[in-house]
Amino acid sequence: MTNRLAQSQSLYLRKHAENPIDWWYWCDEALETARRENKPIFLSIGYSSCHWCTVMEGEAFSDRAIAQYMNANFIPIKVDREERPDLDSIYMTAVQMMTGQGGWPLNVFLSPEDLVPFYGGTYYPLTPNYGRPGFLQVLQAIRRYYDTEKTKVQSLKEELLSFLHEASVIPTDGSASIQSNDLLQQGIEANTGVLIGGGHGASFPMMPHAELALRGIRFNFASRYDAKQVCTQRGLDLALGGIYDHVAGGFHRYTVDANWTVPHFEKMLYDNGQIVEYLASLWSAGICEPAFERAIAGTVQWLKREMTAPEGYFYAAQDADSFTEPSAAEPEEGAFYVWSYGELEQLLSREELAELQQHFTVTPSGNFESNNVLQRRDSGKLSDTLEAALAKLFANRYGSEKLDETFPPARNNQEAKTKNWLGRIPPVTDTKMIVAWNSLMISGLASAYAVFGHQEYLELAVKASTFILDNQWVDGRFHRINYELTPAVLAQSEDYALFIKALLDLHWAKGRNPSAISTPQSFWLEKAVQVQEEFDEFLWSVDLGGYYNTASDAARDLIVRERSYMDNATPSANGVAIANLVRLALLADDIHCLERAEQALKAFSGIMERSPQACPGLFAALDWYRHHTLIRTTSNQITLLISQYLPTSILVWETNLPPEVVGLVCQGLSCLEPAHTFEQLQEQIKQVGSCLY
């Protein structure tokens, strides 16, 4: 028997539809029921490709004794964090304050009258395990605490709410100046250091930090770190490590070890978009490792084959777990991606296996539960023998040798187990369209096209952007999600900011070859300006500066209204938004955009000074603000410049330059003397872009 979630459009919510728990989704009726019955709310937040979310669904949430107690004593509500990142952010902050850590599934207990949390945690096992109590014990203790310790509950709630309000205001003491050389240098150096890490923990891509560190290679300030070496190593870790699927393309979410060997196997669209953009930026900066180009090409093949809807948008994610056979009761982590040594011996020739062992981490004992995760040992171009070996592994996995052949998604566990797959049973794909994540991939594709010139990169980006423009506005309002051609959930700040960036990146990339597609270059800028106007109207904070996460008319059920500035797996909305404002100021000749960017940077300057490692995106925006450069030049020079690493430059095709002038470089309110040769133009660009003034 199913519960309310059976009719949900969210794959994550539907995965809980057969739980005996009487789940609600987040809605006014659920909140009112909690108030009327005076029951605390059990709020559980996760996402479809989350491994421990899946484990808890199969264990604690499927247990009838737990369900009986839950249904009698709480109002249980399930939220897909990918639909409501605003709710997730608020309650994650609260749980981190209470416990010192966070993660998913995020399980938090709320007081029904005001939705303020009073207890929370992450994964709870069915029975005592991992040093944690069993979930039924937790529920009983929480309900007893709620009923008998009213004063303590109220005191804790007041303390938490006060903390959340203070965090949302982000006070600045005015000591940090956005005009200071020291502030930008401090931010670049601190975030470069983050990439070095060390120890024995997990390894995450951390693309916002890597992107800022790469900007630092332009500057000659004294530093403890060699920024170019650090950024190159991050690229090699990604392109060579087990985090990359060397057989079929695409990057996994992270590795569980510091050596970049064994991944947590889910593939998220947002990681892949950022990594493609970063590797393309490394190449444009002159760091041209063959492994970078191969990883980009392979990821685009994976995107086309497995993650692109017929309508042109990109799917959200693929699970870490998959079934080894149709009769299996539960999926296994990584089963789709790894090989035993015996399988490799059976599939490959002796010569191919020997060369694979020479260049990849392949051993008889394996490196992941007696299986082998492929990790490269060197970054050179792969030999024909190795490519042939990897092609055989691809054919074994997919049942086809055609890398570009469309591979239909398994949309749920039932499809995964019942379809007649020619190769292995694939992991489930979450086929919803998320604007912010699609935008990250559009930007990655646009950057890769600008650098490498492959037409299909641009075409994929244009199709996805066109889908969003044509389908995500309802009654004049931008929407975040699309389920099977049905838009849902009002857009949040990251959707606006990242889509505007994607449109501006397409405007930039189109300059490589104005005739590459029929859409005129000006189209993307015009659309960016229109989306920015809506963004400003509904999410700009007039009093504080910066952008709220949620529009004013969609925030009635939020206990605080946040303005995100921290970069996590995805860039912070405000960092991206401020950089967009600077770009729009130059492209649209709108001084008000620059003034708004300045106001926002001042609003966040205190947190930038106190916690630079938390907000690399704000420092990237500060770099744009301090070094924004307008280059007016001819179409021929634009074609030559566009594939270069120019992180704070805008290229404008100027038709009225004197015949003897090839370009004019302007920064701030002044311009350099006209450049008469391409070499002089390049030197001027380097001069203004690398000067901390």
Side-chain angles (χ1 to χ4, degrees):
M1 185 172 179
T2 58
N3 56 46
R4 294 177 188 85
L5 303 185
Q7 304 306 313
S8 174
Q9 293 176 304
S10 161
L11 173 61
Y12 173 67
L13 298 189
R14 288 201 310 274
K15 284 183 174 182
H16 296 76
E18 295 185 9
N19 293 161
I21 291 175
D22 188 21
W23 288 114
W24 291 83
Y25 51 89
W26 186 274
C27 62
D28 290 342
E29 186 180 357
L31 304 181
E32 178 54 37
T33 300
R35 295 186 187 103
R36 185 176 64 252
E37 298 182 6
N38 191 28
K39 288 182 179 179
I41 293 168
F42 171 66
L43 176 64
S44 183
I45 304 177
Y47 57 100
S48 67
S49 57
C50 165
H51 173 72
W52 288 104
C53 301
T54 300
V55 171
M56 196 164 180
E57 184 280 321
E59 294 178 347
F61 295 153
S62 296
D63 184 81
R64 295 199 172 276
I66 286 174
Q68 183 178 7
Y69 189 85
M70 175 77 78
N71 296 339
N73 292 279
F74 298 89
I75 297 297
I77 300 178
K78 261 286 167 195
V79 167
D80 184 341
R81 70 175 296 260
E82 294 168 359
E83 287 188 331
R84 294 296 303 268
D86 51 348
L87 285 172
D88 177 66
S89 177
I90 291 169
Y91 292 114
M92 181 66 76
T93 300
V95 168
Q96 287 172 332
M97 181 191 178
M98 286 186 279
T99 68
Q101 60 184 5
W104 299 276
L106 178 66
N107 295 305
V108 58
F109 297 84
L110 315 181
S111 181
E113 70 274 9
D114 52 17
L115 307 182
V116 177
F118 60 91
Y119 191 82
T122 55
Y123 166 77
Y124 292 106
L126 174 61
T127 57
N129 207 346
Y130 310 108
R132 303 181 184 205
F135 191 46
L136 182 57
Q137 293 175 271
V138 172
L139 293 176
Q140 292 168 340
I142 291 300
R143 182 66 213 225
R144 187 164 54 248
Y145 176 66
Y146 178 78
D147 290 336
T148 63
E149 301 286 353
K150 294 292 186 182
T151 302
K152 289 183 179 179
V153 169
Q154 184 61 31
S155 176
L156 177 59
K157 284 170 46 183
E158 290 175 358
E159 183 181 356
L160 276 168
L161 192 58
S162 175
F163 173 83
L164 291 170
H165 277 298
E166 287 180 15
S168 69
V169 173
I170 315 172
T172 177
D173 56 15
S175 63
S177 170
I178 62 173
Q179 305 298 338
S180 166
N181 292 343
D182 294 339
L183 183 61
L184 181 55
Q185 180 176 341
Q186 173 191 0
I188 292 173
E189 183 156 346
N191 285 281
T192 303
V194 168
L195 298 180
I196 296 174
H200 304 285
S203 296
F204 289 84
M206 305 189 76
M207 287 296 96
H209 299 79
E211 196 276 335
L212 178 63
L214 186 59
R215 289 171 171 267
I217 70 174
R218 298 162 23 237
F219 304 119
N220 296 317
F221 54 71
S223 174
R224 292 173 289 168
Y225 311 113
D226 181 338
K228 185 174 183 179
Q229 189 278 327
V230 171
C231 293
T232 302
Q233 187 60 52
R234 179 50 50 107
L236 292 172
D237 290 337
L238 293 168
L240 304 183
I243 194 171
Y244 177 65
D245 182 354
H246 298 280
V247 170
F251 290 86
H252 301 293
R253 184 165 166 241
Y254 64 93
T255 61
V256 299
D257 60 284
N259 297 318
W260 296 88
T261 303
V262 178
H264 200 28
F265 289 91
E266 69 263 50
K267 292 181 179 178
M268 313 299 294
L269 184 68
Y270 61 73
D271 285 320
N272 283 273
Q274 292 178 88
I275 294 171
V276 166
E277 182 170 5
Y278 179 69
L279 295 180
S281 294
L282 285 174
W283 193 280
S284 70
I287 307 170
C288 303
E289 293 284 352
F292 298 166
E293 186 175 15
R294 185 182 188 276
I296 291 172
T299 299
V300 174
Q301 284 183 331
W302 163 76
L303 185 72
K304 290 172 58 181
R305 183 180 60 248
E306 302 176 46
M307 296 292 286
T308 302
E311 296 80 11
Y313 62 84
F314 306 127
Y315 301 142
Q318 292 177 322
D319 284 4
D321 309 337
S322 59
F323 295 99
T324 55
E325 55 186 16
S327 60
E330 297 291 339
E332 295 182 14
E333 185 176 7
F336 191 62
Y337 299 104
V338 299
W339 282 270
S340 69
Y341 193 77
E343 287 176 307
L344 295 174
E345 286 182 309
Q346 183 179 2
L347 293 168
L348 306 179
S349 70
R350 187 172 300 177
E351 178 189 5
E352 289 168 340
L353 180 54
E355 191 161 347
L356 192 70
Q357 285 184 278
Q358 181 182 352
H359 293 280
F360 286 83
T361 55
V362 172
T363 64
S365 59
N367 53 22
F368 172 67
E369 298 179 356
S370 301
N371 291 303
N372 286 280
V373 174
L374 298 185
Q375 179 178 16
R376 290 182 61 178
R377 302 182 191 276
D378 48 69
S379 62
K381 183 177 174 61
L382 295 183
S383 69
D384 292 343
T385 300
L386 279 173
E387 292 289 10
L390 295 173
K392 287 182 179 180
L393 299 184
F394 178 93
N396 171 259
R397 185 192 290 176
Y398 291 91
S400 170
E401 297 178 353
K402 299 177 181 178
L403 295 175
D404 291 328
E405 187 173 60
T406 299
F407 188 74
R411 297 172 184 267
N412 52 55
N413 283 347
Q414 184 65 17
E415 282 192 12
K417 295 177 73 169
T418 57
K419 274 193 175 182
N420 185 27
W421 306 104
L422 297 177
R424 298 178 177 185
I425 299 174
V428 169
T429 299
D430 186 346
T431 58
K432 70 172 173 285
M433 193 286 298
I434 304 175
V435 168
W437 298 10
N438 270 247
S439 300
L440 287 167
M441 182 54 77
I442 292 165
S443 288
L445 291 166
S447 297
Y449 169 74
V451 173
F452 297 103
H454 298 319
Q455 182 77 8
E456 68 174 349
Y457 296 0
L458 181 62
E459 290 173 352
L460 284 166
V462 167
K463 287 179 182 177
S465 301
T466 301
F467 178 86
I468 293 171
L469 289 168
D470 290 346
N471 291 277
Q472 291 307 113
W473 270 264
V474 179
D475 297 329
R477 293 295 297 278
F478 195 22
H479 282 63
R480 170 178 175 78
I481 305 288
N482 193 289
Y483 290 111
E484 305 293 341
L485 305 184
T486 301
V489 186
L490 280 175
Q492 303 207 354
S493 60
E494 66 172 10
D495 301 298
Y496 282 100
L498 290 168
F499 188 52
I500 293 165
K501 177 183 183 298
L503 294 171
L504 295 176
D505 290 341
L506 278 173
H507 177 82
W508 168 275
K510 187 70 162 56
R512 180 181 177 110
N513 181 2
S515 62
I517 53 173
S518 58
T519 309
Q521 187 178 15
S522 60
F523 173 83
W524 307 110
L525 176 58
E526 291 166 2
K527 292 300 180 182
V529 170
Q530 292 173 12
V531 180
Q532 183 67 48
E533 289 172 352
E534 183 178 328
F535 191 17
D536 290 341
E537 179 181 356
F538 290 102
L539 286 98
W540 174 255
S541 173
V542 175
D543 296 330
L544 300 174
Y547 293 90
Y548 289 112
N549 293 357
T550 313
S552 53
D553 56 353
R556 66 183 184 281
D557 53 1
L558 302 180
I559 58 176
V560 292
R561 200 171 171 210
E562 293 184 316
R563 294 171 296 146
S564 288
Y565 61 85
M566 292 181 64
D567 298 82
N568 295 297
T570 55
S572 72
N574 273 290
V576 175
I578 296 167
N580 290 341
L581 287 169
V582 178
R583 296 171 75 179
L584 286 168
L586 299 181
L587 286 166
D589 196 22
D590 186 349
I591 191 65
H592 296 297
C593 285
L594 196 61
E595 292 170 350
R596 184 158 285 183
E598 181 179 3
Q599 182 184 352
L601 283 169
K602 287 180 177 178
F604 294 112
S605 61
I607 200 70
M608 292 169 72
E609 184 177 43
R610 291 190 297 274
S611 303
Q613 295 175 338
C615 51
L618 289 174
F619 285 100
L622 179 59
D623 187 20
W624 264 106
Y625 176 76
R626 294 291 310 282
H627 298 104
H628 58 271
T629 303
L630 183 64
I631 305 167
R632 300 183 181 277
T633 187
T634 66
S635 60
N636 290 337
Q637 312 308 323
I638 287 178
T639 301
L640 294 172
L641 289 170
I642 203 161
S643 62
Q644 298 185 18
Y645 185 60
L646 303 172
T648 58
S649 294
I650 296 293
L651 298 174
V652 174
W653 182 11
E654 181 60 72
T655 58
N656 296 320
L657 291 174
E660 70 279 5
V661 173
V662 301
L664 188 63
V665 177
C666 302
Q667 190 173 69
L669 300 177
S670 61
C671 299
L672 303 182
E673 63 176 281
H676 293 84
T677 67
F678 182 68
E679 291 72 23
Q680 183 184 9
L681 182 64
Q682 282 192 303
E683 184 58 36
Q684 289 180 341
I685 295 169
K686 180 179 178 181
Q687 174 186 335
V688 299
S690 63
C691 177
L692 279 173
Y693 66 96

